[in-house]
Each structure stands twice: as structure tokens, then as C-alpha cells.
Amino acid sequence: PPGQPFTAHDACATLAGIVSVWLTARQIPHPAADEIPAGQERDVGKEGGVSESAELVFEHSPCALFLVDVQDESTHRYVRANPAALTGAVTADPVGLTPQEVFGPERGARMAAQFSRCVREAEPVSFEDTVDLPDGRYVYRTVLSPLSDHGRVVRVFGAAGDVTEHRKTEDALRGHLRRSEILLNLLHDTPQDPEHFFKRLIDGAMSLTGSSAGGVLLPGVTEGAWKCGVCRGTWSETRSASENGDLVRPVSDPLWAETLRTGRPAVRNAPDTQLCVPVYDIGRIVAVLGVAGRVDGYSDEQSLQLKILANSTWPAVRRLHAEADLRVERDLLRATLLSIGDAVIATDAEGNVTIMND
């Protein structure tokens, strides 16, 4: 439809039609010149035109396009592939080679399985494949169309497109929804105990980022020192490493120290995986929220989600501390009044008298 992007599926459907016509035209015997009816000379020789169209499509299409010959359901060899279809390949010339020989045993086996499925079902097949390349991880969506001859699939035509950014956008949207859900649950049912609130916050942070450990670092008693508020998983080592309840801020390691120095989220994905974000209150760092143990590492999007979650919930933490301080102050004043031997009275504007220490 107008205004919508031309997807890999659209490309495959269109180009498979061209290739199908091309293959069909090659199998039709052409009549001799003296057998061509008058006025129909132009209809003969169109195979060359279709062939040229297919060549132009293969060479100049931005999509990854390839054509695979089907020897049997489990054996497939490349006939053609444009440069875009050879991203991540271990060879520059795929003609006559199997998927395993073109892309290596692991990725090749995944592609061969999809080729076999397309041949077996004799229907278009679509799938997504995650590929690790030197410059990062990519997601490709591939659509396969079977090309048949007399009821038998003889070739498979494929078109693939890079959908990495689309998947990142989807993951970001899911992250926003999940973060909003965690935040609403925290604010809707806020526990009175700040430590209990921290535990729920850490559980939410670990769930949001797919982590196996997490913790909150809070300012210590001495200047420049920090202590572990609530720690779970491997972050419990931080608690055991503290001396007199404080962790003196080091020059370099661990990662939370980098967050304190720079005032920005810090990520480490090797040899272990960790993510720390600063929590601000009126322009100063009042806490560090950290998670660790995500299997495939942390992304910038997860760093942003965690930072928003931590800083959105901190006003609730501040309110809990203020309420706790007010309760202590109330009890102190109450004890002071009760300790006075004489009656302490208060009079309001209407002259009503209240005995404060009865």
C-alpha cells in the first residue's frame, strides 16, 4: 500500500514471480522461424528480456537475494546470490555450494533446515535469524518461495532484509511497558519500610533487565564512603567486603565506582556482565542501583530503562525516609511531654483547651 515500506516479503513475492516466469520461459520450446505466424514475431525471444530483468534484479536490488537448486529435500546448492546475500559468508563464490559451505556449519544448518521446510511444504516460508558479525549482532528476516516444475519443487528463491532496528524498537517498547508496570506496582503498594522498598526495587530491576543479581549502594557514615543497602545474588559479595558498614570509594574497580566518578551509567559485558546507574536527588548522587549476571550482556536501551526506573522511584524513597523521621520526631516529642510532671495544655483559636500530656 502507498506510504508503507516495501518489506522483504513483498520483494520476495514480486521477484519470485519474475524468476518463476524466467524459469518457465526457459523450458518452453521455441518454434522455428518459418512456423511463426505473421505479426507474432515480437512475441518470440522474450526469454532474453525476462532473463535480463532477473539479472538486473539480482545485481541491483538492496535486498539480499539468492536462488538455491534443490537436489532433494535435504540437499540444496546455491545457483545465484547477490552481494547482500553473502553477509557473514565464509566464501565469496557460493555457486554449487551447500548452505553449510557458504555460511559455516552452525548458521548453514539453520538455513538448510528452512530450505528443507520450504521444499517439504511447497509453500512460502519466512523466518528470522540472528547473526553475530564483527561490527555487532544483526537480525535478518528471510522469505523463501518454492519454484516448481511439473509439481516438484526444483529451486528455492529467497529474499532477506535487515530488521535489526525494528527488533530493537520492539524491545524498547516492551521495556518501556515493563518498566511502567514495575513502577506502578511499586508506587501503588509502597511498603512503609525503606529496606523492603529497596528489595522490591531490586527485584523489579533484575526482572526488567533479565539479571541474576542486583543491589543498591547508599552513602556511608564517612565522607566519600558508600555502603551496600540491599544486595542480592553476587552483589552480596559487596556487602561482605565492606568494613564497618562502609565501602571506601576506590580509584578504578569496581564498576559502581566508575558510576560515582562519571555520574553516568556504566556497563561491563566482559568477563562478567554488570550495569550500574546513578540515582540523583537535587543534582547530587544519592544512590547507585546495579544489576549483574545477564547472559548476553547489557545494552544502552537497558541502561536507559534502569536509570529511568531508579530515578522515578527515588521520590518515594525520600518520602518514606521523611515519614520515618517524622514518626521518630513525634515519638520523641511525645516522650518529652509525658516526662513533664505538670500538665501541658494547648488552647486553640476558639478557646478549646487540650491537655497534651494526659
Side-chain angles (χ1 to χ4, degrees):
Q4 294 187 9
F6 191 62
T7 65
H9 187 281
D10 299 326
C12 192
T14 302
L15 299 176
I18 295 175
V19 177
S20 298
V21 173
W22 177 29
L23 294 177
T24 303
R26 293 177 62 186
Q27 298 171 0
I28 299 176
H30 296 292
D34 56 355
E35 297 177 356
I36 302 175
Q40 298 185 15
E41 292 86 352
R42 290 185 178 181
D43 294 335
V44 179
K46 284 188 177 180
E47 176 190 345
V50 177
S51 176
E52 291 176 3
S53 298
E55 292 290 338
L56 288 173
V57 165
F58 264 97
E59 293 302 323
H60 300 289
S61 172
C63 298
L65 305 176
F66 55 90
L67 190 62
V68 176
D69 188 52
V70 178
Q71 297 183 348
D72 55 54
E73 184 178 311
S74 60
T75 306
H76 327 91
R77 296 188 180 276
Y78 279 83
V79 177
R80 290 291 306 273
N82 67 354
L86 297 177
T87 303
V90 297
T91 178
D93 184 11
V95 177
L97 302 181
T98 65
Q100 290 88 337
E101 293 170 327
V102 175
F103 293 103
E106 186 175 343
R107 184 183 174 191
R110 295 197 302 267
M111 298 186 69
Q114 297 296 336
F115 294 164
S116 297
R117 177 186 164 199
C118 182
V119 173
R120 183 171 59 255
E121 297 177 1
E123 295 286 343
V125 167
S126 62
F127 65 97
E128 290 188 5
D129 191 30
T130 302
V131 181
D132 289 320
L133 299 176
D135 58 341
R137 175 169 293 182
Y138 292 83
V139 181
Y140 292 97
R141 178 174 175 79
T142 303
V143 183
L144 305 176
S145 287
L147 304 177
S148 300
D149 180 22
H150 303 295
R152 175 181 172 271
V153 178
V154 294
R155 286 184 175 180
V156 172
F157 179 72
D162 182 359
V163 295
T164 306
E165 293 305 318
H166 294 288
R167 295 298 166 261
K168 286 182 178 179
T169 301
E170 290 179 355
D171 291 342
L173 289 174
R174 281 193 291 266
H176 281 294
L177 292 174
R178 178 59 181 150
R179 187 199 71 232
S180 299
E181 180 184 6
I182 293 171
L183 180 59
L184 287 173
N185 288 337
L186 280 169
L187 299 181
H188 175 70
D189 185 21
T190 304
Q192 295 299 315
D193 180 12
E195 183 168 339
H196 188 202
F197 184 88
F198 283 142
K199 290 179 180 178
R200 290 185 55 188
L201 173 60
I202 295 169
D203 288 342
M206 292 167 59
S207 174
L208 179 65
T209 58
S211 305
S212 60
V216 173
L217 293 178
L218 302 171
V221 177
T222 58
E223 182 69 23
W226 292 73
K227 63 181 180 181
C228 185
V230 176
C231 298
R232 295 188 183 278
T234 54
W235 267 69
S236 298
E237 300 171 3
T238 306
R239 178 188 293 275
S240 63
S242 62
E243 181 179 356
N244 298 324
D246 285 354
L247 292 163
V248 179
R249 182 168 57 189
V251 177
S252 57
D253 211 32
L255 193 66
W256 54 265
E258 180 181 337
T259 299
L260 291 173
R261 288 196 313 274
T262 64
R264 296 190 298 270
V267 178
R268 182 168 65 199
N269 285 327
D272 54 355
T273 58
Q274 291 189 41
L275 167 61
C276 293
V277 298
V279 182
Y280 282 90
D281 185 18
I282 317 179
R284 63 188 181 91
I285 298 178
V286 293
V288 175
L289 177 61
V291 290
R294 181 179 172 86
V295 175
D296 53 352
Y298 296 98
S299 65
D300 292 339
E301 178 62 30
Q302 288 162 340
S303 174
L304 174 63
Q305 297 287 1
L306 191 63
K307 182 179 178 180
I308 294 175
L309 174 65
N311 286 272
S312 298
T313 56
W314 197 256
V317 175
R318 186 171 53 187
R319 190 190 74 220
L320 290 175
H321 283 295
E323 291 176 351
D325 291 341
L326 287 174
R327 286 194 295 270
V328 171
E329 188 71 18
R330 181 198 62 193
D331 294 341
L332 179 62
L333 292 175
R334 180 66 177 169
T336 301
L337 287 172
L338 293 177
S339 66
I340 299 175
D342 298 328
V344 178
I345 62 174
T347 305
D348 61 18
E350 298 177 356
N352 297 316
V353 177
T354 303
I355 299 177
M356 304 296 296
N357 59 348
D358 185 13

